[in-house]
Every structure is written in C-alpha cells, then in structure tokens.
Amino acid sequence: MKKDDCIFCKIANGEIPSATLYEDERFRVILDLGPASKGHALILPKEHYPNLYELPDELAEKVILLAKKMIVKMTKALDCDGFNVVQNNGAPAGQTVFHFHMHLIPRYENDDAGFGWNTGELSEADKEDILAKMREID
Ligand code: 5GP
Ligand code: ZN
C-alpha cells in the first residue's frame, strides 16, 4: 500500500525523480539528498511501512540481502574503506521520514562523517533488569 502524503512512497514509485542506483519490483535505492559521506544511499521499499516494527518478514529478509549486494558493489565503485548500515525507528532514534528506509553510508579513512554514539558502562543492575524483563516476554 502507498501513503498519499509520503514523500518516500512517491520517490520509491518514481512519481518524484531521484538519483537511482538500483531498482527492482519491491525496492528502489537512491542517493540521500543530505549525505553524511560521498555515496550515502537509502534503500526504500515501494510499499509504505513506517518502520522496522511494521515491515513484513518477507521484505525484512530481502532488505538485508539487498544491503549486502549494494555495499559490495558500491565499495568497488567508490573505493571506500568501510560502510555503516543504519536504520532508525522512531523520532527519539533519529527517524525523520516515517517510511521504512535503510541508510548505506560509505566510510573513508579519516572522513568526518562523525557517525557514532556516546558509550556508557553496563551496570550489574541494568544487566539483571534487562535479562529478567526479556525472559518475562518469552
Ligand atoms: P532518517 O533520519 O529518517 O533515518 O533519514 C531520512 C533521510 O532521508 C535523511 O538522511 C535525509 O537526508 C533524507 N531525505 C529526506 N528527504 C529526502 C528527499 O526528498 N530525497 C532524498 N533523496 N533524501 C531525502
Ligand atoms: Zn511511504
């Protein structure tokens, strides 16, 4: 299903032109207009799903295979030195466009893409709390 007011639905389905690196019946891979590094791309499903929680398993399987295929090809094409494969779910996680997408961010030695997070330390209390809560859900 497409969502009328969704820009990524329109891009994925070719209603809005985009720099397309790959397309098949389910996905389009485009260059990000606000790239973190040269070659930053986005995998977009053609159907509208807001996030990974709602992405059907069948597409979730395919998207990781496509990510692998794309980064292999892009590494050869761009001669980059690594890749971040990133996928944000929810505004607190940095999601700004609420149509599932996967970021493919080429990394170059000494680039200033600056992707990362502040690391803490796993406390005993948090560890026990999380393990207990996860067991309760099973
Ligand atoms: P998010 O923050 O939701 O994980 O990522 C959204 C991404 O989409 C951002 O990296 C942003 O630069 C990119 N973006 C937003 N609007 C457009 C657009 O109209 N075209 C393209 N190609 N990228 C877009
Ligand atoms: Zn959409």
Side-chain angles (χ1 to χ4, degrees), residues 106-126:
R107 300 305 302 264
Y108 304 88
E109 292 291 349
N110 304 316
D111 70 27
D112 59 358
F115 173 77
W117 51 81
N118 299 324
T119 56
E121 196 171 327
L122 179 63
S123 67
E124 271 306 303
D126 275 357

Side-chain angles (χ1 to χ4, degrees), residues 30-71:
I30 63 166
L31 289 179
D32 193 305
L33 284 186
S37 68
K38 182 176 177 180
H40 182 167
L42 302 170
I43 301 180
L44 311 180
K46 292 186 174 180
E47 297 290 320
H48 183 87
Y49 301 101
N51 50 43
L52 185 58
Y53 295 107
E54 301 194 41
L55 191 71
D57 288 356
E58 180 242 339
L59 281 184
E61 283 175 2
K62 289 192 164 52
V63 79
I64 193 68
L65 293 176
L66 179 54
K68 179 178 174 185
K69 183 166 144 175
M70 289 305 302
I71 69 166

Side-chain angles (χ1 to χ4, degrees), residues 1-3 6-10 47-49 98-99:
M1 220 174 69
K2 319 308 184 250
K3 192 163 175 275
C6 173
I7 186 158
F8 278 7
C9 278
K10 292 188 171 69
E47 297 290 320
H48 183 87
Y49 301 101
F98 295 87
H99 172 123

Side-chain angles (χ1 to χ4, degrees), residues 5-39:
D5 58 349
C6 173
I7 186 158
F8 278 7
C9 278
K10 292 188 171 69
I11 293 173
N13 291 282
E15 290 168 44
I16 294 177
S18 60
T20 296
L21 305 182
Y22 174 86
E23 183 183 6
D24 63 24
E25 62 190 23
R26 294 187 179 81
F27 298 102
R28 183 186 293 269
V29 183
I30 63 166
L31 289 179
D32 193 305
L33 284 186
S37 68
K38 182 176 177 180

Side-chain angles (χ1 to χ4, degrees), residues 70-131:
M70 289 305 302
I71 69 166
V72 168
K73 186 169 176 186
M74 291 173 76
T75 298
K76 286 186 190 142
L78 300 170
D79 197 27
C80 58
D81 304 303
F83 252 94
N84 290 119
V85 176
V86 183
Q87 201 277 307
N88 300 326
N89 296 282
Q95 188 174 8
T96 57
V97 180
F98 295 87
H99 172 123
F100 173 93
H101 52 281
M102 187 172 271
H103 294 263
L104 307 177
I105 305 175
R107 300 305 302 264
Y108 304 88
E109 292 291 349
N110 304 316
D111 70 27
D112 59 358
F115 173 77
W117 51 81
N118 299 324
T119 56
E121 196 171 327
L122 179 63
S123 67
E124 271 306 303
D126 275 357
K127 184 176 79 180
E128 294 308 328
D129 182 49
I130 294 161
L131 292 174

